[in-house]
Amino acid sequence: MQYSLKYGQGLINIDFGDHHVDVITSGAKNQKPLAMIEINFQPLHDLLFKSHKKRSELVIGIAINDKTRPVPYSRLIPPLINELINSGIHQKNIYFYIANGTHVPDYDYGYLNLKNDILNSFTFIQHNCQDDLVHLGTTSFGTPIQINRSYYQCDIKISVGNIEPHHFAGYSGGVKTVSIGLAGKETINHNHALLMDANSVACKYQKNKVRMDIEEIGDMIGVDLALNCIQTKDLEILHVFFDQPGKVMQLAIPIIDSLFSVSTDKKYDIVVASAGGYPKDINFYQSQKATSNAGKIL
């Protein structure tokens, strides 16, 4: 009995001999990916219509993940840029913020898979969790809110990323790219300490203290819009959402649960789990997310 699991950029083969093996995987593999990406930009136009500033004066902040997150930016960012510019936003007023969280900044933007004309025409700002932060108060969970000052000062704040189950925040996506990715170290450490709560687990939202804290932080920052997608295990796009972050999460969560939640009627003596290959196993911290999920059936 031989099986292959994603490992880094390739596969690792495992021979189980004559032992019986149960293969547990999500239903997302049977979904048909989108051939064309169609984004409803009406929420952006509604926001621009309400603005008291001239569109040529508006400053747009777009938060994007670092290379530890497998987001198809080459298919999400170009249409967003085009819509902003066609709506009257000046190119020089559109800024991209790399949401590093506490990760070390990396100036190699190859992971974005964007054309050079985009990389050379826009400003990309690396977030530093210990520098140039604005203090916005404290959440009801006691988390001090420290956020990238420059992003906070933007007129319109957008978050771009993917939505998938998260081992202690319930789900990624929505405001999380900003609330954690562009936060100060103290904010991140205090928020992540909430993972000790019994409800801070994958695919739990309303009662998840980590996630509710993240939502409060996002509300205080004033994140206006989220452009998020759901992908297959092979990183092909299944769904795209663009709206207020809370609405995006409401639309995405039932789909995520149907695609990625798996039931099993027993526990096992041995579980062999893959994090999903690069970049999900890019380092020990990222790869341990697989063990927290696999441990539930061990």
Side-chain angles (χ1 to χ4, degrees):
M1 301 290 288
Q2 292 190 344
Y3 294 89
S4 296
L5 292 173
K6 289 185 177 181
Y7 185 76
Q9 298 281 12
L11 299 171
I12 187 168
N13 298 315
I14 306 170
D15 189 344
F16 291 100
D18 295 331
H19 295 284
H20 173 74
V21 177
D22 288 338
V23 179
I24 300 174
T25 185
S26 72
K29 66 177 183 177
N30 299 319
Q31 299 295 308
K32 186 176 181 180
L34 296 177
M36 294 183 61
I37 302 299
E38 295 184 3
I39 303 172
N40 177 15
F41 285 108
Q42 189 58 46
L44 171 64
H45 299 307
D46 293 342
L47 201 61
L48 293 173
F49 180 77
K50 296 176 183 177
S51 175
H52 298 295
K53 277 189 175 183
K54 294 180 180 178
R55 295 188 180 185
S56 59
E57 298 175 350
L58 290 172
V59 177
I60 313 298
I62 303 174
I64 58 178
N65 296 106
D66 64 10
K67 66 181 181 181
T68 62
R69 302 294 189 270
V71 183
Y73 285 118
S74 61
R75 301 186 71 185
L76 298 177
I77 287 178
L80 176 59
I81 289 174
N82 291 338
E83 195 69 26
L84 287 167
I85 292 175
N86 290 337
S87 299
I89 306 299
H90 278 191
Q91 179 175 298
K92 64 181 180 64
N93 289 340
I94 301 174
Y95 296 86
F96 289 92
Y97 292 81
I98 310 299
N100 292 311
T102 58
H103 305 163
V104 177
D106 185 351
Y107 292 86
D108 180 2
Y109 298 122
Y111 76 95
L112 294 171
N113 294 313
L114 295 173
K115 293 181 179 179
N116 286 333
D117 61 339
I118 292 180
L119 294 174
N120 296 331
S121 300
F122 294 89
T123 301
F124 289 78
I125 299 170
Q126 291 281 344
H127 172 65
N128 185 327
C129 68
Q130 301 188 83
D131 186 41
D132 196 25
L133 305 169
V134 61
H135 299 260
L136 302 178
T138 306
T139 70
S140 64
F141 297 94
T143 300
I145 307 173
Q146 303 171 343
I147 293 296
N148 185 291
R149 182 184 301 275
S150 176
Y151 180 85
Y152 177 71
Q153 293 172 342
C154 291
D155 296 305
I156 294 179
K157 305 174 187 66
I158 302 174
S159 175
V160 184
N162 67 320
I163 305 179
E164 61 185 359
H166 188 281
H167 64 139
F168 63 78
Y171 304 87
S172 63
V175 298
K176 185 175 181 295
T177 297
V178 177
S179 298
I180 300 300
L182 295 183
K185 187 174 182 178
E186 187 179 359
T187 300
I188 297 169
N189 287 345
H190 196 284
N191 170 266
H192 283 18
L194 297 171
L195 68 84
M196 299 302 293
D197 185 79
N199 288 313
S200 295
V201 295
C203 295
K204 186 165 283 194
Y205 187 70
Q206 294 289 353
K207 295 182 179 180
N208 188 318
K209 289 186 177 181
V210 173
R211 184 70 213 197
M212 292 301 99
D213 194 49
I214 287 170
E215 295 297 326
E216 283 192 31
I217 296 170
D219 288 342
M220 290 288 287
I221 298 167
V223 182
D224 297 293
L225 298 166
L227 174 56
N228 286 165
C229 68
I230 296 175
Q231 302 176 94
T232 67
K233 293 192 301 179
D234 296 321
L235 306 183
E236 296 179 297
I237 299 176
L238 294 173
H239 301 274
V240 176
F241 308 93
F242 184 63
D243 210 323
Q244 297 172 15
K247 290 183 179 179
V248 166
M249 297 305 296
Q250 289 175 11
L251 292 170
I253 285 174
I255 299 173
I256 291 287
D257 288 349
S258 68
L259 292 178
F260 296 104
S261 295
V262 179
S263 334
T264 180
D265 57 1
K266 62 179 177 179
K267 292 191 174 182
Y268 296 85
D269 297 316
I270 297 174
V271 176
V272 181
S274 164
Y278 180 89
K280 292 177 180 292
D281 58 5
I282 194 171
N283 55 36
F284 181 74
Y285 178 77
Q286 297 302 324
S287 63
Q288 57 89 26
K289 295 176 181 179
T291 63
S292 67
N293 285 320
K296 294 176 182 179
I297 57 172
L298 185 65

